[in-house]
Amino acid sequence: MAAPLDVTSVEAGAAPGDALAGAGPIKGRSLGQIAWGRLRRDKVAMIGGAVVLFLILVAIVGPHLTKSPNAYNQDLIDPTFSRPIGSFGGISLSHPLGVEPVNGRDVLARIVDGAQYSLFIAFLAIFLAVALGVFFGVIAGYFGSSIDAIIARAMDVFLAFPLLVFALALVGVIPQHAFGLSGNALRIALLIFIIGFFNWPYMGRIIRGQTLSLREREFVDAARSLGARSGYVLFRELLPNLVAPIIVYSTLLMPANILFEAALSYLGVGLYPPTPTWGGMLSDAVTNQYFQIDPAFMLVPGLAIFITVMAFNLFGDGLRDALDPRTR
């Protein structure tokens, strides 16, 4: 609320509005500044965003600062019972989360290295899903008619597809060498393709709905009346107004991609061992019954997945509310 005007400070013969002249012109705020202000007031979303940035930093820098994730430390393993020496899974200053039974691999190093693979696969799968979803969604929403019907039915087919079963079958039949790739490079490419290619209908439906709404707006009609071609309307009028939903729903798709990659690794069709992945670590803890030695061997990778998914969900929800307050 503005402070009351002090009439005693207004000189005789001067207009009352002159007292406010020294305050300077009122500055407007851009849509980005308004959205940032809303997001900054959402403390939960800011915490989620901070955790997301921390996880990305850990994935990029962490593997260069921790020990080798595949180095065996047999001197830290009890030769009689094949379990870590010491309590809580062999926790020490040099191994803050302990070491694995039997082989003595550092748990912290494997968690950090697993973050790099999980986030890398999830981000690239998002790029593929967004590229396909935006392309087909805009085409379907703008042109409509039979094009819209064909693309909409294709989306329904993809959404009804048993993705997990298909992923298990595809990874099982692809040979060790294909498409000029082999080993983990081939597995990473397959995971990115499976997760991204079969997730684009989620983004496509959202973009299609937004495009159907935007194409009836006045600025689109104005561009058409001035003789603008379809390419100009699509790239110069529609796409800039679709940036906000693209960013928001990309953030919300990240947790699903991370969970799906972890599920495939848990089922044994992720990256090849001994490459560390969070799902693979969970699988090792259950299959080799490490959890009977110490539940932490199962809890640590499980918490890593939980915290990552929760952080992206909280940040995505806050980002959606900040960019489109009507969704509250």
Side-chain angles (χ1 to χ4, degrees), residues 86-155:
S87 57
F88 304 107
I91 289 179
S92 63
L93 290 177
S94 57
H95 303 280
L97 295 181
V99 295
E100 289 185 341
V102 182
N103 50 53
R105 294 181 297 194
D106 185 72
V107 174
L108 176 61
R110 295 182 65 77
I111 287 291
V112 170
D113 221 52
Q116 187 177 59
Y117 288 107
S118 294
L119 294 181
F120 178 76
I121 292 172
F123 271 117
L124 290 186
I126 280 291
F127 289 146
L128 178 59
V130 167
L132 294 174
V134 170
F135 175 78
F136 287 111
V138 169
I139 295 298
Y142 181 74
F143 291 102
S145 188
S146 59
I147 296 177
D148 182 23
I150 293 172
I151 295 178
R153 298 294 77 76
M155 291 180 186

Coordinates of all heavy atoms in Angstrom, one line a residue, residues 86-155:
G86 N 33.5 -54.1 10.4 CA 33.0 -53.0 11.1 C 31.5 -52.9 11.0 O 30.8 -53.7 10.3
S87 N 30.9 -52.0 11.8 CA 29.4 -51.9 11.8 C 28.9 -51.0 10.7 O 29.6 -50.3 10.1 CB 29.0 -51.3 13.2 OG 29.6 -50.1 13.4
F88 N 27.5 -51.2 10.5 CA 26.8 -50.4 9.5 C 27.4 -50.5 8.1 O 27.6 -49.5 7.4 CB 26.7 -48.9 9.9 CG 26.1 -48.7 11.3 CD1 26.9 -48.3 12.3 CD2 24.7 -48.9 11.4 CE1 26.3 -48.2 13.6 CE2 24.2 -48.7 12.7 CZ 24.9 -48.3 13.8
G89 N 27.8 -51.7 7.7 CA 28.3 -51.9 6.4 C 29.6 -51.4 6.1 O 30.0 -51.1 5.0
G90 N 30.5 -51.3 7.1 CA 31.8 -50.8 7.0 C 32.0 -49.3 6.8 O 32.9 -48.9 6.1
I91 N 31.1 -48.6 7.4 CA 31.1 -47.1 7.3 C 32.4 -46.6 7.9 O 32.7 -47.0 9.1 CB 29.9 -46.4 7.9 CG1 28.7 -46.7 7.0 CG2 30.1 -44.9 8.1 CD1 27.4 -46.1 7.5
S92 N 33.1 -45.7 7.3 CA 34.3 -45.1 7.8 C 34.5 -43.7 7.1 O 33.7 -43.3 6.3 CB 35.5 -45.9 7.6 OG 35.8 -46.1 6.2
L93 N 35.5 -43.0 7.6 CA 35.8 -41.7 7.0 C 36.1 -41.8 5.5 O 35.7 -40.9 4.7 CB 36.9 -41.0 7.7 CG 36.6 -40.5 9.1 CD1 37.9 -39.9 9.7 CD2 35.5 -39.5 9.1
S94 N 36.8 -42.8 5.1 CA 37.2 -43.0 3.7 C 36.0 -43.6 2.9 O 36.0 -43.6 1.7 CB 38.4 -43.9 3.6 OG 38.2 -45.1 4.2
H95 N 35.1 -44.3 3.6 CA 33.9 -44.9 2.9 C 32.7 -44.5 3.7 O 32.1 -45.2 4.5 CB 34.1 -46.4 2.9 CG 35.3 -46.9 2.2 ND1 35.4 -46.9 0.8 CD2 36.5 -47.3 2.7 CE1 36.6 -47.4 0.5 NE2 37.3 -47.6 1.6
P96 N 32.1 -43.2 3.4 CA 31.1 -42.7 4.3 C 29.8 -43.5 4.2 O 29.0 -43.5 5.2 CB 30.8 -41.3 3.7 CG 32.1 -41.0 3.0 CD 32.7 -42.3 2.5
L97 N 29.5 -44.2 3.1 CA 28.3 -45.1 3.1 C 28.6 -46.5 3.1 O 27.8 -47.4 2.9 CB 27.6 -44.7 1.7 CG 27.0 -43.3 1.6 CD1 26.3 -43.2 0.3 CD2 26.1 -43.0 2.8
G98 N 29.9 -46.9 3.5 CA 30.3 -48.3 3.6 C 30.7 -48.9 2.3 O 30.9 -48.2 1.3
V99 N 31.0 -50.2 2.3 CA 31.4 -50.9 1.1 C 30.5 -52.1 1.0 O 29.8 -52.6 1.9 CB 32.9 -51.4 1.3 CG1 33.8 -50.2 1.3 CG2 33.1 -52.2 2.5
E100 N 30.4 -52.6 -0.3 CA 29.6 -53.7 -0.6 C 30.2 -55.0 0.0 O 31.4 -55.2 0.0 CB 29.4 -53.9 -2.1 CG 28.5 -52.8 -2.7 CD 28.3 -53.1 -4.2 OE1 29.0 -53.8 -4.8 OE2 27.3 -52.5 -4.7
P101 N 29.3 -56.0 0.4 CA 29.8 -57.3 0.8 C 30.5 -58.0 -0.3 O 30.3 -57.7 -1.5 CB 28.6 -58.0 1.3 CG 27.6 -57.0 1.6 CD 27.9 -55.8 0.6
V102 N 31.3 -59.0 0.0 CA 32.0 -59.8 -0.9 C 33.2 -59.1 -1.7 O 34.3 -59.5 -1.6 CB 31.1 -60.5 -2.0 CG1 31.9 -61.4 -2.9 CG2 30.0 -61.2 -1.3
N103 N 32.9 -58.0 -2.4 CA 33.9 -57.4 -3.2 C 34.5 -56.1 -2.6 O 35.6 -55.6 -3.0 CB 33.3 -57.1 -4.6 CG 32.0 -56.3 -4.5 OD1 31.9 -55.3 -3.9 ND2 31.0 -56.9 -5.2
G104 N 33.8 -55.4 -1.7 CA 34.3 -54.2 -1.0 C 34.2 -53.0 -1.9 O 35.0 -52.0 -1.6
R105 N 33.4 -52.9 -2.9 CA 33.3 -51.7 -3.7 C 32.6 -50.6 -2.9 O 31.7 -50.8 -2.1 CB 32.5 -52.0 -5.0 CG 33.2 -52.9 -5.9 CD 32.4 -53.2 -7.2 NE 31.1 -53.8 -6.9 CZ 30.4 -54.3 -7.9 NH1 30.8 -54.3 -9.1 NH2 29.2 -54.9 -7.6
D106 N 33.1 -49.3 -3.1 CA 32.6 -48.2 -2.3 C 31.2 -47.8 -2.7 O 30.9 -47.6 -3.9 CB 33.6 -47.0 -2.5 CG 33.2 -45.8 -1.7 OD1 33.4 -45.9 -0.5 OD2 32.6 -44.8 -2.2
V107 N 30.3 -47.8 -1.8 CA 28.9 -47.5 -2.0 C 28.7 -46.1 -2.5 O 27.9 -45.8 -3.4 CB 28.0 -47.9 -0.8 CG1 26.5 -47.5 -1.1 CG2 28.1 -49.3 -0.5
L108 N 29.3 -45.1 -1.9 CA 29.2 -43.7 -2.2 C 29.6 -43.5 -3.7 O 28.9 -42.8 -4.5 CB 30.0 -42.8 -1.3 CG 30.0 -41.3 -1.7 CD1 28.5 -40.8 -1.6 CD2 30.9 -40.6 -0.7
A109 N 30.7 -44.1 -4.1 CA 31.2 -43.9 -5.4 C 30.2 -44.5 -6.4 O 30.0 -43.9 -7.5 CB 32.6 -44.6 -5.6
R110 N 29.6 -45.6 -6.1 CA 28.7 -46.2 -7.0 C 27.4 -45.5 -7.1 O 26.7 -45.4 -8.2 CB 28.4 -47.7 -6.6 CG 29.7 -48.6 -6.7 CD 29.4 -50.0 -6.4 NE 28.5 -50.7 -7.3 CZ 28.8 -51.1 -8.5 NH1 30.0 -50.9 -8.9 NH2 27.9 -51.7 -9.2
I111 N 26.9 -44.9 -6.0 CA 25.7 -44.0 -6.0 C 26.0 -42.8 -6.9 O 25.1 -42.4 -7.7 CB 25.4 -43.6 -4.6 CG1 24.8 -44.8 -3.8 CG2 24.4 -42.4 -4.6 CD1 23.4 -45.2 -4.3
V112 N 27.1 -42.1 -6.7 CA 27.5 -40.9 -7.5 C 27.6 -41.3 -9.0 O 27.1 -40.6 -9.8 CB 28.8 -40.3 -6.9 CG1 29.2 -39.2 -7.9 CG2 28.5 -39.7 -5.5
D113 N 28.3 -42.4 -9.3 CA 28.4 -42.7 -10.7 C 27.1 -43.2 -11.3 O 26.8 -42.9 -12.4 CB 29.4 -43.9 -10.8 CG 30.3 -43.8 -12.0 OD1 31.0 -42.7 -12.1 OD2 30.4 -44.7 -12.8
G114 N 26.2 -43.8 -10.5 CA 24.9 -44.2 -10.9 C 24.0 -42.9 -11.2 O 23.2 -43.0 -12.1
A115 N 24.2 -41.9 -10.5 CA 23.5 -40.6 -10.7 C 23.8 -40.1 -12.1 O 22.9 -39.6 -12.8 CB 23.8 -39.6 -9.7
Q116 N 25.1 -40.2 -12.5 CA 25.5 -39.7 -13.8 C 24.7 -40.4 -14.9 O 24.2 -39.8 -15.9 CB 27.0 -39.8 -14.0 CG 27.5 -39.2 -15.2 CD 29.0 -39.3 -15.3 OE1 29.6 -40.4 -15.3 NE2 29.7 -38.2 -15.4
Y117 N 24.7 -41.8 -14.8 CA 24.0 -42.6 -15.9 C 22.5 -42.3 -15.9 O 21.9 -42.2 -16.9 CB 24.4 -44.0 -15.7 CG 25.8 -44.4 -16.1 CD1 26.7 -44.7 -15.1 CD2 26.2 -44.5 -17.4 CE1 28.0 -45.0 -15.4 CE2 27.5 -44.8 -17.8 CZ 28.4 -45.1 -16.8 OH 29.7 -45.4 -17.1
S118 N 21.9 -42.3 -14.7 CA 20.5 -42.2 -14.6 C 20.0 -40.8 -15.2 O 19.1 -40.8 -16.0 CB 20.0 -42.3 -13.1 OG 20.3 -43.6 -12.7
L119 N 20.7 -39.7 -14.8 CA 20.3 -38.4 -15.2 C 20.6 -38.2 -16.7 O 19.8 -37.6 -17.4 CB 21.0 -37.3 -14.4 CG 20.5 -37.3 -12.9 CD1 21.3 -36.1 -12.2 CD2 19.0 -37.1 -12.8
F120 N 21.7 -38.8 -17.2 CA 22.1 -38.7 -18.6 C 21.0 -39.3 -19.5 O 20.6 -38.8 -20.4 CB 23.5 -39.3 -18.8 CG 23.9 -39.3 -20.2 CD1 24.4 -38.1 -20.8 CD2 23.9 -40.5 -21.0 CE1 24.8 -38.1 -22.1 CE2 24.3 -40.5 -22.3 CZ 24.8 -39.3 -22.9
I121 N 20.7 -40.6 -19.1 CA 19.6 -41.3 -19.9 C 18.3 -40.6 -19.8 O 17.6 -40.4 -20.8 CB 19.5 -42.7 -19.4 CG1 20.8 -43.5 -19.7 CG2 18.3 -43.4 -20.0 CD1 20.9 -44.9 -19.1
A122 N 17.9 -40.1 -18.6 CA 16.6 -39.4 -18.5 C 16.6 -38.1 -19.3 O 15.6 -37.8 -19.9 CB 16.3 -39.2 -17.0
F123 N 17.6 -37.3 -19.2 CA 17.6 -36.1 -19.9 C 17.6 -36.3 -21.4 O 16.8 -35.6 -22.1 CB 18.9 -35.3 -19.6 CG 18.7 -34.4 -18.4 CD1 19.5 -34.6 -17.2 CD2 17.8 -33.4 -18.3 CE1 19.3 -33.8 -16.1 CE2 17.6 -32.6 -17.2 CZ 18.4 -32.8 -16.1
L124 N 18.4 -37.2 -22.0 CA 18.3 -37.4 -23.4 C 17.0 -38.0 -23.9 O 16.5 -37.7 -25.0 CB 19.5 -38.3 -23.8 CG 20.9 -37.7 -23.7 CD1 21.9 -38.6 -24.3 CD2 21.0 -36.3 -24.5
A125 N 16.4 -38.8 -23.0 CA 15.1 -39.4 -23.4 C 14.1 -38.3 -23.4 O 13.1 -38.3 -24.2 CB 14.7 -40.5 -22.4
I126 N 14.2 -37.3 -22.5 CA 13.3 -36.2 -22.5 C 13.4 -35.4 -23.8 O 12.4 -34.9 -24.4 CB 13.6 -35.3 -21.2 CG1 12.9 -35.9 -20.0 CG2 13.0 -33.9 -21.4 CD1 11.4 -35.8 -20.0
F127 N 14.6 -35.1 -24.2 CA 14.9 -34.3 -25.4 C 14.2 -35.0 -26.6 O 13.5 -34.4 -27.5 CB 16.3 -34.2 -25.7 CG 17.0 -33.2 -24.7 CD1 18.3 -33.5 -24.4 CD2 16.4 -32.1 -24.2 CE1 19.0 -32.6 -23.5 CE2 17.0 -31.3 -23.4 CZ 18.3 -31.5 -23.0
L128 N 14.3 -36.4 -26.7 CA 13.7 -37.1 -27.8 C 12.2 -37.0 -27.7 O 11.5 -36.8 -28.7 CB 14.2 -38.6 -27.8 CG 13.6 -39.5 -28.8 CD1 13.9 -39.0 -30.2 CD2 14.1 -40.9 -28.6
A129 N 11.6 -37.2 -26.5 CA 10.2 -37.2 -26.3 C 9.6 -35.8 -26.6 O 8.6 -35.7 -27.2 CB 9.8 -37.6 -24.9
V130 N 10.3 -34.8 -26.2 CA 9.9 -33.4 -26.4 C 9.9 -33.1 -27.9 O 9.0 -32.5 -28.4 CB 10.7 -32.4 -25.6 CG1 10.4 -31.0 -26.0 CG2 10.4 -32.6 -24.1
A131 N 11.0 -33.4 -28.6 CA 11.1 -33.1 -30.0 C 10.0 -33.8 -30.8 O 9.3 -33.1 -31.6 CB 12.5 -33.6 -30.5
L132 N 9.7 -35.1 -30.5 CA 8.7 -35.8 -31.2 C 7.3 -35.3 -30.8 O 6.4 -35.0 -31.7 CB 8.8 -37.3 -31.0 CG 10.0 -38.0 -31.6 CD1 10.0 -39.4 -31.1 CD2 10.0 -37.9 -33.1
G133 N 7.1 -35.1 -29.5 CA 5.8 -34.6 -29.0 C 5.4 -33.2 -29.5 O 4.3 -33.0 -29.9
V134 N 6.4 -32.3 -29.5 CA 6.1 -31.0 -30.0 C 5.8 -31.0 -31.5 O 4.9 -30.3 -31.9 CB 7.3 -30.0 -29.6 CG1 7.1 -28.7 -30.3 CG2 7.4 -29.8 -28.1
F135 N 6.6 -31.7 -32.2 CA 6.4 -31.7 -33.7 C 5.0 -32.2 -34.0 O 4.2 -31.6 -34.7 CB 7.5 -32.6 -34.3 CG 7.3 -32.8 -35.8 CD1 7.7 -31.8 -36.7 CD2 6.8 -33.9 -36.3 CE1 7.5 -31.9 -38.1 CE2 6.6 -34.1 -37.7 CZ 7.0 -33.1 -38.5
F136 N 4.7 -33.4 -33.5 CA 3.4 -34.0 -33.9 C 2.2 -33.3 -33.2 O 1.2 -33.2 -33.8 CB 3.4 -35.5 -33.5 CG 4.3 -36.4 -34.4 CD1 5.4 -36.9 -33.9 CD2 3.9 -36.6 -35.7 CE1 6.2 -37.7 -34.8 CE2 4.7 -37.4 -36.6 CZ 5.9 -37.9 -36.1
G137 N 2.4 -32.8 -32.0 CA 1.4 -32.1 -31.3 C 1.0 -30.8 -32.0 O -0.2 -30.5 -32.2
V138 N 2.0 -30.0 -32.5 CA 1.7 -28.8 -33.2 C 1.1 -29.0 -34.5 O 0.1 -28.4 -34.9 CB 3.0 -28.0 -33.3 CG1 2.8 -26.8 -34.3 CG2 3.5 -27.4 -32.0
I139 N 1.6 -30.0 -35.2 CA 1.0 -30.4 -36.6 C -0.4 -30.8 -36.4 O -1.3 -30.3 -37.2 CB 1.8 -31.5 -37.2 CG1 3.3 -31.0 -37.5 CG2 1.2 -31.9 -38.5 CD1 3.4 -29.8 -38.5
A140 N -0.7 -31.6 -35.4 CA -2.1 -32.1 -35.3 C -3.0 -31.0 -34.8 O -4.1 -30.9 -35.3 CB -2.1 -33.3 -34.2
G141 N -2.6 -30.2 -33.9 CA -3.4 -29.1 -33.4 C -3.7 -28.0 -34.4 O -4.7 -27.4 -34.4
Y142 N -2.7 -27.7 -35.2 CA -2.8 -26.5 -36.1 C -3.6 -26.9 -37.4 O -4.5 -26.2 -37.8 CB -1.4 -26.0 -36.5 CG -1.5 -24.8 -37.4 CD1 -1.9 -23.6 -36.9 CD2 -1.2 -24.9 -38.8 CE1 -1.9 -22.5 -37.8 CE2 -1.2 -23.8 -39.6 CZ -1.6 -22.6 -39.1 OH -1.7 -21.5 -39.9
F143 N -3.2 -28.0 -38.0 CA -3.9 -28.4 -39.2 C -5.2 -29.1 -39.1 O -6.1 -29.0 -39.9 CB -2.9 -29.2 -40.1 CG -1.7 -28.5 -40.6 CD1 -0.5 -28.7 -40.0 CD2 -1.8 -27.6 -41.6 CE1 0.6 -28.0 -40.4 CE2 -0.8 -26.9 -42.1 CZ 0.5 -27.1 -41.5
G144 N -5.4 -29.9 -38.0 CA -6.6 -30.5 -37.7 C -7.0 -31.5 -38.7 O -6.2 -32.1 -39.4
S145 N -8.3 -31.7 -38.9 CA -8.9 -32.6 -39.9 C -8.3 -34.0 -39.9 O -8.1 -34.5 -38.8 CB -8.7 -31.9 -41.3 OG -9.4 -32.6 -42.3
S146 N -8.1 -34.5 -41.0 CA -7.6 -35.9 -41.1 C -6.2 -36.1 -40.5 O -5.9 -37.1 -39.9 CB -7.6 -36.4 -42.5 OG -6.8 -35.6 -43.3
I147 N -5.4 -35.1 -40.6 CA -4.0 -35.1 -40.0 C -4.1 -35.3 -38.5 O -3.4 -36.1 -37.9 CB -3.2 -33.9 -40.4 CG1 -3.0 -33.8 -41.9 CG2 -1.9 -33.9 -39.6 CD1 -2.3 -32.6 -42.4
D148 N -5.0 -34.5 -37.9 CA -5.2 -34.6 -36.4 C -5.7 -35.9 -36.1 O -5.3 -36.5 -35.0 CB -6.2 -33.5 -36.0 CG -6.4 -33.4 -34.5 OD1 -5.5 -33.9 -33.8 OD2 -7.4 -32.9 -34.1
A149 N -6.7 -36.5 -36.8 CA -7.2 -37.8 -36.5 C -6.2 -38.9 -36.6 O -6.1 -39.7 -35.7 CB -8.4 -38.1 -37.5
I150 N -5.3 -38.9 -37.6 CA -4.3 -39.9 -37.7 C -3.3 -39.8 -36.6 O -3.0 -40.8 -35.9 CB -3.6 -39.7 -39.1 CG1 -4.5 -40.1 -40.2 CG2 -2.4 -40.7 -39.1 CD1 -4.0 -39.8 -41.6
I151 N -2.8 -38.6 -36.3 CA -1.8 -38.4 -35.2 C -2.5 -38.8 -33.8 O -1.8 -39.4 -33.0 CB -1.3 -37.0 -35.2 CG1 -0.5 -36.8 -36.5 CG2 -0.4 -36.8 -34.0 CD1 0.1 -35.4 -36.6
A152 N -3.7 -38.4 -33.6 CA -4.4 -38.7 -32.4 C -4.5 -40.2 -32.2 O -4.3 -40.7 -31.0 CB -5.7 -38.0 -32.3
R153 N -4.9 -40.9 -33.2 CA -5.0 -42.4 -33.1 C -3.6 -43.0 -32.9 O -3.5 -44.0 -32.1 CB -5.6 -43.0 -34.4 CG -7.0 -42.5 -34.7 CD -8.1 -43.0 -33.6 NE -8.0 -42.2 -32.4 CZ -8.6 -41.0 -32.3 NH1 -9.1 -40.4 -33.3 NH2 -8.5 -40.3 -31.1
A154 N -2.6 -42.5 -33.5 CA -1.2 -43.0 -33.2 C -0.8 -42.8 -31.8 O -0.2 -43.7 -31.2 CB -0.2 -42.3 -34.2
M155 N -1.2 -41.6 -31.2 CA -0.9 -41.4 -29.8 C -1.6 -42.4 -28.9 O -1.1 -43.0 -27.9 CB -1.4 -40.0 -29.4 CG -0.6 -38.9 -30.0 SD -1.2 -37.3 -29.4 CE -0.2 -36.2 -30.4

